[in-house]
Amino acid sequence: MDKTLALIKPDAVERNIIGDIISLIEKNGFVIIDMKFMKMSRSIAEKFYDAHIGKSFYDKLVTYMTSGNIIALVLKKENAVDIFRDLIGSTDPEFAKEGTIRKLYAIDKSFNSIHGSDSDANAEREISIIFDH
Ligand code: IDP
Ligand code: MG
């Protein structure tokens, strides 16, 4: 598959860095094929993050992701999932490589500004949860 799902998370929307992040995404050759400004409901967030149910950070994660507006983007590029994961960097910005979105913008491991699907199957699943396709 040549698509992935990106979410610009509430901490980034609140800090007025949407444009900076989208600019980096475009400069790295991703084409935005769908985009939505939204607030996640609790039920959508719980469905989206069901792989993390039971983990220590799960409740904090759902509370954070439903705390404010987000931007969802469907991105198209050859090998989109892997290349986008490289662009966003490690979950914890302390360990993210220079030039990655999380190194540049994330506050910490919890409030890390951006989501990217981690497999083609999850990209398909996440796109269908957020968008109707
Ligand atoms: P990923 O976003 O890099 O794929 P996941 O392990 O799938 O990382 O975790 C989903 C999200 O949950 C992270 O992006 C981050 O917001 C939050 N998270 C992950 N691990 C921790 C943690 O150890 N403490 C607090 N929040 C975490
Ligand atoms: Mg993940």
Side-chain angles (χ1 to χ4, degrees):
M1 204 168 77
D2 54 359
K3 281 192 277 185
T4 194
L5 180 86
L7 302 177
I8 302 177
K9 296 184 176 184
D11 66 282
V13 175
E14 275 163 21
R15 286 180 292 140
N16 285 1
I17 53 175
I18 295 167
D20 294 336
I21 292 174
I22 291 178
S23 177
L24 256 178
I25 291 171
E26 291 186 321
K27 281 185 184 132
N28 279 272
F30 292 90
V31 178
I32 297 168
I33 58 170
D34 209 343
M35 179 162 157
K36 190 164 160 179
F37 190 83
M38 61 183 282
K39 192 164 171 180
M40 266 190 170
S41 64
R42 193 153 188 101
S43 65
I44 293 283
E46 285 173 350
K47 192 169 173 192
F48 193 89
Y49 284 114
D50 70 356
H52 296 301
I53 290 173
K55 292 186 185 166
S56 58
F57 60 84
Y58 174 75
D59 288 336
K60 186 176 176 182
L61 173 62
V62 170
T63 299
Y64 157 52
M65 289 303 294
T66 56
S67 68
N69 293 312
I70 64 166
I71 290 178
L73 304 139
V74 181
L75 304 176
K76 191 167 159 64
K77 185 180 171 67
E78 204 178 311
N79 204 13
V81 165
D82 291 343
I83 295 173
F84 193 64
R85 291 289 294 193
D86 285 346
L87 178 61
I88 71 179
S90 297
T91 309
D92 185 340
E94 217 180 299
F95 303 112
K97 288 191 187 129
E98 289 300 326
T100 60
I101 293 173
R102 283 169 168 166
K103 183 70 180 185
L104 286 163
Y105 300 114
I107 296 168
D108 58 27
K109 191 178 188 177
S110 308
F111 306 113
N112 60 3
S113 305
I114 188 100
H115 167 86
S117 310
D118 65 4
S119 67
D120 284 352
N122 279 336
E124 205 162 348
R125 175 180 176 273
E126 292 171 359
I127 290 166
S128 75
I129 291 171
I130 303 288
F131 296 91
D132 299 324
H133 54 87

